[in-house]
C-alpha cells in the first residue's frame, strides 16, 4: 500500500512526491494526461531579468528527481471519484481503485469560458488548447489567428504562438455579456494590465507603468488609443476593439470586430471583418477543485485566488483528515509558487505519517513555508492582484473555523 | 446573430437567452436552472459551461457568489464506462 496518493503530476504534485520520497514514504502520482509535468509542459516565457523559463525542462528535472527517489508515476489515468473510508481515502480511477491514508489533490486550474457568438465553430479553441497544440504536440493551430481576451495569460501564450511561427493578427476584447463582464471593459482591462506592468518584459507594459500613476492619464490613453492598436512584440493589442461575431460556414473563416468606447459600449457602424482560420479565446483561470467538492471539503469564494477554493491552512491541510491540497487548486499563481507549495504539502504529509519526535522535519517545513512566501513576493507572473490578502484571509478562516 | 443566441451549454445546446430568461422567471437555484434547461447535464458533465451558468445566475438574480460552490459536483467527475464503475459482469 502507498503511504500517500497524489492526484496531478504538475509542479505541485511532483514536488510533493519528491518531498515525501525524501522522507522514505512510498507514493504514487496519478495524472490523466499522457505525460507528467502538468501545465509546465506548455510554458515558455522570458523573465523580467531576461532569462527564459522553459517549462518542459523544469518538468523533466522534477520527473527525473521523483523517479530517482522511487516515486511511481501513472499517466493516462483519470480519477473520477474520491471518498473517505475508515482511516483514509479511496481513490476511484478509470483503471483501478486504491486506498491510502493520505491523499493530496494537486489538480491545477481550468480555463473560464468567454462566450462569443459563433464560438462553437471548429477552429475556435481556448488559449490553453492553442498552447498545448503548439508547445506540447508541436502542431500549428492554424495559419492565421486572432486572440479574444486580453490578460496576463493570453499575452504570454500569444507570444509563444508567435515564437512558434504562428501568425496572430491581434488581440481584442471579448464582447460584454453576463459571463465576460469586466473582461470586455477597456478601462478595467487596462487597470489589470497596468498592475503587472512593472513585471512585464515588454516595452508596451513598461510604458503602461508610467500611465498607472495618474488616473487622468489612463483616461487620456484610452480616449486617444491608436486605431491600429499598441504593438507588443509586433502584435497589435486592441484595447478599444471587441469581437462581435466569429463567422464561417463549416469552420472559422473570419471574425467581425468593432470599436468600443472606453467603457466597453459598442460603437455602431465601426464593424470590420478580419480573415482568420483560428480563434483563441482567453477567459482566465479558476482552481480545478471538483474532487475536493466531491469529498465534501468546505469551500470559500475568493476572487483574489480565482474562484472557489477548498479551505486549507498554510501547511496545505484541509479540515478533512488525511486530505491535502497544493498548487493552483488553492488559488491561481505561477508555476514556481505551485512547485514550492507542493514541497510544503509533501513535508506536511511526511511529518504526519512518520510522527517522529525528530524536529528536523519541522525545520524543513518552516524553511519550505518561507520559500513559498519569498517566491510569491517575487513572482514574475501574477494572475490576480491582492493574492497576499486572499492567502491571509484563507489562513484566518481556517484558524477561526476549523482548527 | 444576436448575442442572446450564443450557445452556452454545447452538449445540450442551451442558449444564453434561455438561461437568462429561466433564471429571471423562476429566481431559481443553480440546480433548478440546470434541471429546467438541461444546461450542464450533457456528456461533459458541465466542464465547459458550469462557470458560465453560475455567472448568468448571479447576474439574473442579483445575488452574490456564495462561498459554497453553487452547482454541486457529483461523481463521476469524468466520463467513465459502466464497466469501470463496477456494474459490468467482468468482475
Ligand atoms: C492554459 C494554462 C496556461 C498556463 N500558463 C502559465 C504560464 O505560462 N506561466 C505560469 O507561471 N503559469 C501558467 N499557468 C498556471 C499554471 O496552472 C501553473 O503554472 C502551474 O502549472 C500549476 O501547477 P499545478 O501543479 O497546481 O497544476 P497543473 O500543472 O495544472 O497540473 C495538474 C495536473 O493534474 C491533472 N489532473 C487534474 N484532474 C485530474 C483527475 N481528475 N485525474 C487525473 N489527473 C488529473 C492534470 O492532467 C494536470 O496534469 C497556466 C495554466 C493554464 C490552465
Amino acid at each position: 500500500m502507498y503511504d500517500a496518493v497524489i492526484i496531478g503530476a504538475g509542479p505541485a504534485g511532483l514536488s510533493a512526491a519528491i518531498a515525501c520520497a525524501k522522507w522514505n514514504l512510498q507514493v504514487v502520482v496519478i495524472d490523466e494526461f499522457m505525460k507528467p509535468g502538468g501545465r509546465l509542459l506548455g510554458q515558455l516565457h522570458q523573465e523580467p531579468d531576461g532569462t527564459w523559463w522553459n517549462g518542459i525542462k523544469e518538468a523533466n528535472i522534477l520527473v527525473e528527481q521523483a523517479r530517482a527517489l522511487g516515486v511511481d508515476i501513472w499517466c493516462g489515468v483519470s480519477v473520477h471519484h474520491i471518498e473517505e473510508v475508515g482511516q483514509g481515502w479511496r481513490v476511484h480511477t478509470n483503471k483501478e481503485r486504491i486506498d491510502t491514508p493520505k491523499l493530496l489533490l494537486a489538480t491545477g486550474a481550468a480555463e473560464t469560458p468567454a462566450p462569443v457568438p459563433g464560438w462553437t465553430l471548429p477552429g475556435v479553441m481556448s488559449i490553453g488548447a492553442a498552447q498545448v497544440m503548439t508547445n506540447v504536440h508541436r502542431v500549428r493551430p492554424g495559419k492565421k489567428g486572432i486572440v479574444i481576451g486580453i490578460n496576463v495569460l493570453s499575452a504570454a501564450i500569444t507570444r509563444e504562438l508567435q515564437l512558434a511561427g504562428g501568425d496572430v493578427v491581434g488581440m481584442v476584447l471579448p464582447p460584454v455579456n453576463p459571463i465576460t463582464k469586466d473582461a470586455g471593459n477597456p478601462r478595467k482591462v487596462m487597470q489589470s494590465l497596468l498592475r503587472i506592468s512593472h513585471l512585464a518584459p515588454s516595452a508596451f507594459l513598461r510604458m503602461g507603468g508610467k500611465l498607472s500613476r495618474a488616473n487622468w492619464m489612463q483616461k487620456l490613453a484610452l480616449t486617444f488609443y491608436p486605431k491600429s492598436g499598441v504593438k507588443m512584440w509586433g502584435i497589435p493589442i486592441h484595447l478599444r476593439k471587441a469581437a462581435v461575431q466569429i463567422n464561417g460556414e463549416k469552420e472559422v473563416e473570419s471574425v467581425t470586430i468593432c470599436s468600443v468606447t472606453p467603457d466597453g459600449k459598442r460603437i455602431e457602424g465601426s464593424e470590420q471583418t478580419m480573415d482568420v482560420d483560428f480563434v483563441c479565446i482567453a477567459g482566465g483561470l479558476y482552481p480545478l477543485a471538483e474532487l475536493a467538492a466531491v469529498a465534501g471539503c468546505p469551500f470559500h469564494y475568493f476572487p483574489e485566488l480565482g474562484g472557489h477554493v477548498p479551505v486549507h491552512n498554510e501547511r496545505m491541510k484541509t479540515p478533512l483528515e488525511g486530505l491535502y491540497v497544493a498548487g493552483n487548486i488553492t488559488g491561481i499563481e505561477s508555476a514556481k509558487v505551485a512547485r514550492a507549495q507542493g514541497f510544503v504539502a509533501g513535508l506536511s504529509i511526511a511529518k504526519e505519517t512518520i510522527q517522529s519526535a525528530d524536529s528536523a522535519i519541522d525545520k524543513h517545513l518552516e524553511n519550505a513555508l518561507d520559500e513559498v512566501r519569498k517566491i510569491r513576493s517575487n513572482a514574475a507572473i501574477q494572475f490576480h492582484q491582492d493574492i497576499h490578502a486572499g492567502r491571509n484571509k484563507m489562513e484566518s478562516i481556517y484558524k477561526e473555523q476549523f482548527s | 446573430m444576436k448575442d442572446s443566441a450564443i450557445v452556452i451549454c454545447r452538449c445540450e445546446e442551451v442558449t444564453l437567452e434561455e438561461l437568462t430568461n429561466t433564471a429571471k422567471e423562476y429566481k431559481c437555484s443553480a440546480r433548478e436552472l440546470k434541471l429546467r434547461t438541461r444546461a450542464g447535464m450533457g456528456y461533459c458533465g458541465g466542464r465547459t459551461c458550469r462557470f458560465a451558468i453560475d455567472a448568468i445566475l448571479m447576474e439574473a438574480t442579483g445575488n452574490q457568489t456564495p462561498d459554497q460552490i453553487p452547482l454541486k459536483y457529483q461523481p463521476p467527475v469524468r466520463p467513465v464506462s459502466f464497466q469501470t464503475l463496477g456494474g459490468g459482469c467482468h468482475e
Side-chain angles (χ1 to χ4, degrees):
Chain A
M1 187 158 107
Y2 289 108
D3 295 311
V5 170
I6 296 170
I7 307 175
L14 288 174
S15 64
I18 291 168
C20 286
K22 280 189 173 162
W23 290 86
N24 297 320
L25 268 59
Q26 281 295 321
V27 292
V28 60
V29 185
I30 303 176
D31 199 297
E32 59 191 347
F33 197 59
M34 61 203 179
K35 288 183 196 170
R39 286 292 163 182
L40 278 176
L41 298 174
Q43 298 175 11
L44 180 66
H45 44 76
Q46 209 168 4
E47 303 270 307
D49 67 3
T51 57
W52 285 86
W53 172 257
N54 180 338
I56 294 182
K57 255 194 211 152
E58 299 296 334
N60 285 342
I61 293 171
L62 291 172
V63 170
E64 273 165 32
Q65 211 178 339
R67 290 222 165 103
L69 287 162
V71 170
D72 285 337
I73 302 176
W74 298 349
C75 289
V77 179
S78 288
V79 177
H80 59 80
H81 185 29
I82 57 172
E83 54 184 336
E84 209 168 358
V85 284
Q87 298 294 302
W89 291 88
R90 179 160 294 165
V91 179
H92 299 262
T93 79
N94 59 349
K95 295 273 157 58
E96 60 188 281
R97 226 170 52 188
I98 30 177
D99 288 349
T100 177
K102 302 269 186 281
L103 177 60
L104 170 65
L105 305 178
T107 47
E111 294 186 78
T112 22
V116 181
W119 74 325
T120 49
L121 279 170
V124 182
M125 64 195 81
S126 74
I127 191 91
Q131 185 187 41
V132 171
M133 280 177 89
T134 309
N135 293 350
V136 183
H137 301 300
R138 311 274 165 170
V139 175
R140 240 195 351 208
K143 291 203 182 73
K144 202 172 170 190
I146 189 166
V147 174
I148 302 177
I150 305 176
N151 51 47
V152 203
L153 184 69
S154 68
I157 300 180
T158 302
R159 170 67 167 151
E160 292 170 14
L161 295 178
Q162 187 195 37
L163 287 169
D167 183 6
V168 180
V169 299
M171 299 177 72
V172 298
L173 300 172
V176 176
N177 59 41
I179 300 115
T180 56
K181 290 188 206 134
D182 286 352
N185 180 320
R187 224 188 283 287
K188 298 273 167 61
V189 173
M190 179 160 212
Q191 278 160 5
S192 73
L193 287 179
L194 293 177
R195 261 187 267 111
I196 55 160
S197 63
H198 61 295
L199 302 162
S202 105
F204 162 65
L205 291 175
R206 272 202 300 273
M207 173 199 89
K210 297 196 188 98
L211 296 176
S212 65
R213 290 197 204 118
N215 224 345
W216 64 269
M217 274 178 85
Q218 290 176 26
K219 267 193 200 142
L220 209 65
L222 276 178
T223 309
F224 294 107
Y225 200 81
K227 281 247 169 347
S228 57
V230 171
K231 289 211 166 92
M232 180 156 75
W233 301 300
I235 302 164
I237 316 274
H238 296 289
L239 275 180
R240 288 280 309 276
K241 287 184 181 157
V244 177
Q245 163 100 41
I246 302 167
N247 316 299
E249 193 68 39
K250 293 209 172 78
E251 56 190 358
V252 174
E253 291 167 19
S254 68
V255 171
T256 305
I257 62 175
C258 73
S259 296
V260 294
T261 65
D263 293 317
K265 291 203 181 60
R266 254 177 229 181
I267 299 173
E268 296 302 329
S270 68
E271 289 80 5
Q272 119 195 46
T273 300
M274 300 177 94
D275 289 339
V276 289
D277 67 350
F278 76 100
V279 176
C280 302
I281 296 187
L285 302 174
Y286 71 93
L288 187 61
E290 44 195 1
L291 290 172
V294 162
C297 186
F299 275 76
H300 209 87
Y301 180 70
F302 291 107
E304 308 92 318
L305 301 180
H308 285 94
V309 170
V311 171
H312 63 280
N313 68 8
E314 213 181 17
R315 299 184 166 205
M316 304 292 139
K317 265 170 77 87
T318 72
L320 304 184
E321 192 56 43
L323 187 71
Y324 301 76
V325 286
N328 273 203
I329 185 177
T330 71
I332 306 304
E333 291 190 80
S334 75
K336 286 183 185 170
V337 177
R339 185 173 60 188
Q341 281 183 318
F343 209 72
V344 169
L347 289 173
S348 249
I349 291 172
K351 179 179 152 72
E352 287 183 29
T353 303
I354 54 187
Q355 291 184 344
S356 87
D358 181 2
S359 65
I361 196 161
D362 289 315
K363 237 209 187 95
H364 282 279
L365 197 46
E366 282 309 322
N367 290 344
L369 283 166
D370 277 345
E371 191 67 15
V372 173
R373 291 182 208 116
K374 219 187 295 158
I375 292 175
R376 179 169 292 138
S377 299
N378 300 328
I381 290 193
Q382 245 164 20
F383 292 92
H384 292 274
Q385 66 166 340
D386 302 333
I387 189 90
H388 292 275
R391 293 288 175 199
N392 291 340
K393 261 191 258 168
M394 174 58 90
E395 191 63 19
S396 52
I397 285 169
Y398 188 95
K399 280 205 183 111
E400 281 158 23
Q401 299 174 19
F402 298 96
S403 60
Chain B
M1 187 172 137
K2 283 198 318 215
D3 278 7
S4 55
I6 302 178
V7 172
I8 298 295
C9 168
R10 294 154 188 245
C11 304
E12 297 287 328
E13 298 198 351
V14 188
T15 63
L16 175 59
E17 183 172 31
E18 200 179 334
L19 284 163
T20 308
N21 289 348
T22 310
K24 279 195 182 133
E25 184 174 348
Y26 296 98
K27 302 246 170 301
C28 50
S29 66
R31 180 175 149 76
E32 187 179 334
L33 183 59
K34 172 179 106 169
L35 292 172
R36 284 190 181 278
T37 62
R38 288 202 57 81
M41 290 178 77
Y43 178 81
C44 85
R47 287 180 79 194
T48 318
C49 65
R50 149 189 298 278
F51 181 89
I53 295 172
D54 289 347
I56 293 165
L57 191 67
M58 299 315 149
E59 170 103 353
T61 56
N63 292 339
Q64 292 280 316
T65 306
D67 277 328
Q68 288 310 312
I69 292 178
L71 197 55
K72 203 176 160 221
Y73 279 98
Q74 306 273 17
V77 299
R78 293 287 179 281
V80 282
S81 66
F82 278 118
Q83 191 178 334
T84 307
L85 279 180
C89 47
H90 66 294
E91 282 188 277

